[in-house]
Amino acid sequence: MGDASDTEQLALEAAPQTNKRRRRKSMVWEHFTVEAASGGCTRACCKLCKQTFAYSSGSKIAGTSHLKRHIALGSCPKIKMMEKQNLAFASGSKTDGEGIEPPRRRYRSSLNSLFDQELSCENLARMIILHEYPLHMVEQPAVMAFVQSLQPRFKMPSFSEIDAEVLAIYHREKQNLMEIFGTLSGRISLTISLWTTSQTLGYVCLNGQFIDSDWKLHRRMLNFMMVSSPHSENALSEVIGISLSEWNMKSKLFTITLDNNCSSHDIYSANLRDHLSNKNMLVLKGQLFVVRCYAHILNVIAQDVIASIHGIIYNIRESVKFVKVSPAHEDKFAECALQLEIPSTKSLSLDVAMQWSTTYHMLAAALEYKRAFNLLETCDEHYNEAPTPEDWKKVEIVCTYLKYLYDSANVVMATADPTANIFFQEAWKIQLELTNGISSEDEIVSSTAKEMHEKFDKYWRDCSLVLAVAVVMDPRFKMKLVEFSFSKLYGEDAARYVKVVDDSIHELYLEYVNQPLPLTPAYEEQHGEANNLICEANNGHSESEVIRPLTPSTPTSAGDGLLDFDIYISEMSVTHSSKSELEQYLEETLLPRIQDFDILNWWKLNTIKYPTLSKMAKDVLAIPMSMVNTGSSIFGTGTGSRVLDEYRSSLRPEIVEALFCAKDWLQYLPTMTEPPPSNAIVKMEY
């Protein structure tokens, strides 16, 4: 191996244009060398820990800020270890014959010695991005005075300079994300949402969802693009086409999930689907291409049924206000409830206009105190808002159906990273309840269910196939849940609908069979990992229930020269198997329905046994059935476009996209998810 100077000289020869323009003078090159990489790129290698980082790609230079962070913020494990040793030595205690006496010293932090103007500007830009501060804050006198009091050596950047810094962060993180996408073996699914401005312009937000090689689910924002007419027929098709080309994903697109706030979705989604299908870029000829957001359809139906009794809800809301506005009223209401011996433990509460779940809770609690409200009206002349018995009956029926939606939404929100398999059992239960409600002899029940069913049935017809395909990839259900649920929904016609799902599963599997599998048996790595985690896969199941990976009869050795033989045996076992992977999987005994089942880990452990089917499962399970981000409330997503605030609407479209996308990307960096270690060098004074 050559020394660092030799490596750097090779890198200089590999990228002559870059080095002619710019001579490296930064302090980071005391800690890094530059090495040539594939594709005409160069990477910076830490001399201590040997980690490498992007430096240049062709004529583009990534800069040195990320290299400075590696050194200054203690990200380098070698530096971190040395700092710990130095601090331990510096703060070491003296001992006498009787015990330990801590030294009495004053500490002064020499942060000034580590001051870096470029790094500080980048950190300021990151703060603006992550916390959505206005870029013009750098020109506000109070902010400038505060920063100067902290670090007089810091020169506050101008608006144009911080604007450029934000764009630099955006381009750098985008390049890193493109490198990740370039290594993905599976497909990517998109979600599309619309944003409006106070002007006639709009923005289209595209997110990509995928499962990586370690079977971890990810969602990343790809574009936040301005369009003049976001609701026009071809607007989204054009945006999607641009995004697919920009991210080199034309051959990797799997599905697109849309919200329900635009009637023209059917038009442009069909146009785009036909265009991509003609070029053989979609699976199943685009049958799974368009997916509706499950959270949005729940919101649409809930808000519609609430609106159908808005007059009654007004009376109940005013009744709750009357009780809550005065302690005297509360006491009188409590006396009424006590006199009637109402056993309810719920407390009255007012709802929040944009959260339908709070309206449901308000109605459900008031319903249990309906007799107390009626009694209150007879004994308090100032109260006359009590609903009629007919009104209370409507509220009871509405609450019954709202509970189905509320419980279903909570199941989805309870999962940190919901995979596509969990939505089928939620959707078919609601479809069944609404279908049964339509045939009720009670006119109010029938009319309420019919009104809700009209919209949910459209969702079910559009998405039942993709929902069913996803649940088949769950080893706890497979085709059995599809057969059971369809028998409840369709009765004698169930077999016909089951056959559609079964045919689609097999056709989709054949498309994956026709794709070449990578020649990476990697028995030493994958087999070893599978054996280390096999106890976790068993999870208390009997031996017959556990799917074990195919392994050679004797352990392979990396140095025995028989790696080609392992590949040959693996290919022979696949070629001469009497049953396909799909048939083997479907015939296996169902796994027990444990609550904390980790489906992605199960497929990770069974990738060796089902190499082709696992690729299919990875793409299917990554379909975003809901567009609500992790940690957000399903109940507050609304049904219309989100609105860009006045300040951001006034910015250039490219900086708006940079702010939105960079915020999404930066939150996943280790320095954003974990508190950074202290980088202060401590000096001691006696």
Side-chain angles (χ1 to χ4, degrees):
M1 293 180 61
D3 58 16
S5 61
D6 293 336
T7 304
E8 184 167 359
Q9 183 62 35
L10 290 175
L12 293 175
E13 295 175 359
Q17 296 180 348
T18 300
N19 294 307
K20 284 181 181 178
R21 291 199 307 264
R22 183 174 179 178
R23 184 180 179 185
R24 294 190 293 273
K25 298 179 180 180
S26 175
M27 66 173 186
V28 301
W29 302 115
E30 298 176 7
H31 304 276
F32 287 88
T33 59
V34 178
E35 299 179 349
S38 60
C41 301
T42 59
R43 298 185 68 83
C45 177
C46 178
K47 295 179 181 179
L48 295 174
C49 67
K50 305 306 179 184
Q51 293 186 51
T52 63
F53 304 85
Y55 178 58
S56 71
S57 175
S59 60
K60 296 182 180 179
I61 298 179
T64 59
S65 297
H66 60 304
L67 306 182
K68 293 175 183 176
R69 287 196 302 274
H70 179 72
I71 300 298
L73 297 182
S75 300
C76 177
K78 294 289 186 180
I79 292 181
K80 189 182 298 185
M81 183 181 300
M82 288 188 291
E83 286 183 349
K84 288 182 179 179
Q85 293 174 348
N86 291 337
L87 288 173
F89 175 78
S91 60
S93 56
K94 297 179 180 179
T95 61
D96 53 25
E98 299 179 355
I100 300 175
E101 179 183 357
R104 296 181 178 181
R105 298 171 179 174
R106 290 185 295 110
Y107 295 85
R108 178 170 58 85
S109 174
S110 63
L111 289 173
N112 284 341
S113 63
L114 294 179
F115 171 70
D116 187 304
Q117 174 71 24
E118 292 182 13
L119 181 60
S120 298
C121 285
E122 182 178 350
N123 286 335
L124 175 60
R126 286 169 173 262
M127 181 185 73
I128 289 174
I129 292 170
L130 286 167
H131 298 285
E132 300 183 5
Y133 296 139
L135 275 70
H136 287 84
M137 69 179 292
V138 297
E139 297 177 347
Q140 295 173 354
V143 175
M144 297 174 68
F146 173 69
V147 172
Q148 284 295 307
S149 68
L150 296 177
Q151 176 52 270
R153 296 170 60 188
F154 179 68
K155 180 183 177 183
M156 181 68 80
S158 64
F159 171 81
S160 60
E161 290 172 334
I162 203 67
D163 182 287
E165 189 68 47
V166 168
L167 287 173
I169 292 173
Y170 163 73
H171 288 298
R172 183 165 60 249
E173 296 303 327
K174 182 176 182 179
Q175 182 62 36
N176 292 337
L177 189 57
M178 290 188 74
E179 292 179 4
I180 294 175
F181 283 162
T183 63
L184 292 179
S185 59
R187 290 178 174 257
I188 297 175
S189 292
L190 300 180
T191 67
I192 301 176
S193 57
L194 301 180
W195 288 66
T196 59
T197 67
S198 56
Q199 305 161 337
T200 57
L201 303 174
Y203 282 85
V204 177
C205 178
L206 285 84
N207 289 273
Q209 187 157 301
F210 59 94
I211 294 174
D212 64 16
S213 58
D214 196 38
W215 286 88
K216 302 296 182 185
L217 184 67
H218 301 273
R219 181 182 292 186
R220 297 290 186 273
M221 187 176 292
L222 303 180
N223 293 96
F224 196 87
M225 301 177 64
M226 188 191 75
V227 290
S228 57
S229 301
H231 295 276
S232 64
E233 178 177 331
N234 296 317
L236 292 194
S237 293
E238 293 175 1
V239 170
I240 294 170
I242 293 172
S243 183
L244 293 177
S245 298
E246 185 177 333
W247 291 91
N248 299 319
M249 294 194 310
K250 283 189 174 181
S251 61
K252 290 188 175 183
L253 180 62
F254 195 61
T255 65
I256 292 182
T257 302
L258 307 168
D259 59 21
N260 298 278
N261 66 343
C262 184
S263 60
S264 63
H265 278 165
D266 292 332
I267 300 174
Y268 57 65
S269 61
N271 289 343
L272 183 64
R273 177 174 52 204
D274 294 342
H275 173 72
L276 295 175
S277 294
N278 291 336
K279 295 190 175 183
N280 297 320
M281 294 181 179
L282 298 179
V283 297
L284 279 182
K285 300 178 181 178
Q287 294 182 62
L288 307 180
F289 181 58
V290 179
V291 181
R292 301 286 180 171
C293 175
Y294 185 70
H296 281 209
I297 195 63
L298 293 184
N299 279 312
V300 170
I301 297 173
Q303 291 175 6
D304 283 353
V305 73
I306 287 173
S308 69
I309 59 168
H310 68 279
I312 303 174
I313 292 176
Y314 174 81
N315 286 345
I316 293 177
R317 188 179 293 121
E318 292 300 313
S319 298
V320 174
K321 286 182 183 178
F322 180 85
V323 172
K324 305 288 286 185
V325 75
S326 165
H329 293 173
E330 281 191 290
D331 292 341
K332 184 175 289 189
F333 184 79
E335 290 176 7
C336 293
L338 185 63
Q339 180 180 339
L340 295 170
E341 298 181 348
I342 296 176
S344 176
T345 58
K346 295 181 179 179
S347 59
L348 297 178
S349 61
L350 287 171
D351 61 341
V352 179
M354 297 303 295
Q355 295 277 337
W356 65 263
S357 59
T358 62
T359 304
Y360 161 67
H361 287 306
M362 181 184 73
L363 296 178
L367 187 63
E368 296 195 5
Y369 289 102
K370 65 180 180 180
R371 292 188 297 141
F373 281 113
N374 293 334
L375 180 58
L376 182 64
E377 190 173 38
T378 62
C379 63
D380 192 325
E381 60 180 6
H382 299 291
Y383 173 66
N384 57 2
E385 300 286 353
T388 65
E390 186 72 13
D391 290 342
W392 283 120
K393 181 179 179 182
K394 291 180 180 179
V395 170
E396 183 177 3
I397 293 170
V398 166
C399 282
T400 298
Y401 285 107
L402 282 178
K403 188 177 188 304
Y404 297 139
L405 307 182
Y406 177 79
D407 290 344
S408 183
N410 274 324
V411 169
V412 175
M413 286 198 303
T415 307
D417 294 309
T419 46
N421 59 297
I422 72 172
F423 291 85
F424 178 84
Q425 55 262 44
E426 297 305 315
W428 86 264
K429 288 186 293 186
I430 292 178
Q431 176 74 354
L432 179 63
E433 294 295 342
L434 295 178
T435 302
N436 292 339
I438 293 175
S439 59
S440 173
E441 296 180 357
D442 189 306
E443 184 178 349
I444 300 178
V445 173
S446 177
S447 60
T448 302
K450 183 178 181 181
E451 183 178 353
M452 299 174 68
H453 184 263
E454 286 179 0
K455 290 187 176 179
F456 195 84
D457 185 59
K458 186 180 187 307
Y459 170 83
W460 178 256
R461 284 185 279 109
D462 289 344
C463 300
S464 59
L465 179 58
V466 67
L467 290 168
V469 169
V471 82
V472 172
M473 294 295 98
D474 191 327
R476 298 169 298 171
F477 300 113
K478 304 181 183 179
M479 281 296 297
K480 299 301 182 184
L481 183 59
V482 176
E483 295 166 359
F484 171 78
S485 59
F486 281 10
S487 67
K488 297 284 188 180
L489 285 171
Y490 304 115
E492 296 179 355
D493 293 334
R496 177 164 60 92
Y497 290 95
V498 171
K499 186 177 185 303
V500 171
V501 176
D502 189 65
D503 290 346
S504 298
I505 286 286
H506 283 80
E507 185 179 347
L508 180 62
Y509 171 72
L510 289 178
E511 290 189 27
Y512 279 83
V513 169
N514 293 329
Q515 298 174 8
L517 280 174
L519 294 177
T520 53
Y523 284 120
E524 291 83 1
E525 179 180 351
Q526 285 185 297
H527 175 45
E529 181 181 3
N531 283 341
N532 290 338
L533 299 175
I534 198 66
C535 293
E536 182 180 350
N538 289 347
N539 205 6
H541 310 326
S542 64
E543 185 173 352
S544 63
E545 294 173 335
V546 178
I547 299 180
R548 300 182 181 277
L550 293 175
T551 57
S553 57
T554 57
T556 58
S557 172
D560 63 4
L562 294 178
L563 184 60
D564 290 342
F565 174 71
D566 296 333
I567 299 175
Y568 170 75
I569 293 298
S570 176
E571 291 176 344
M572 290 292 291
S573 63
V574 173
T575 304
H576 292 89
S577 176
S578 59
K579 294 181 179 179
S580 69
E581 292 177 27
L582 178 60
E583 294 300 332
Q584 293 180 53
Y585 168 76
L586 293 177
E587 292 178 7
E588 287 278 351
T589 305
L590 298 181
L591 294 185
R593 296 193 312 276
I594 56 175
Q595 186 174 2
D596 297 327
F597 178 69
D598 187 343
I599 189 171
L600 296 184
N601 190 56
W602 187 91
W603 277 105
K604 177 182 179 180
L605 297 178
N606 286 276
T607 298
I608 297 177
K609 180 171 184 178
Y610 301 120
T612 300
L613 190 60
S614 64
K615 289 180 62 179
M616 173 175 149
K618 180 181 290 186
D619 293 340
V620 169
L621 294 175
I623 297 174
M625 298 294 186
S626 171
M627 296 172 61
V628 179
N629 293 324
T630 302
S632 301
S633 171
I634 284 182
F635 308 112
T637 56
T639 59
S641 301
R642 284 176 284 184
V643 181
L644 205 64
D645 61 58
E646 291 288 342
Y647 176 76
R648 297 206 171 191
S649 297
S650 67
L651 299 175
R652 303 189 329 273
E654 55 266 34
I655 195 67
V656 173
E657 181 172 36
L659 289 170
F660 272 87
C661 292
K663 179 185 178 182
D664 180 77
W665 302 336
L666 289 176
Q667 66 179 316
Y668 298 106
L669 295 181
T671 54
M672 296 298 111
T673 57
E674 300 176 1
S678 174
N679 62 347
I681 298 177
V682 178
K683 290 185 177 180
M684 293 169 289
E685 296 180 352
Y686 293 93

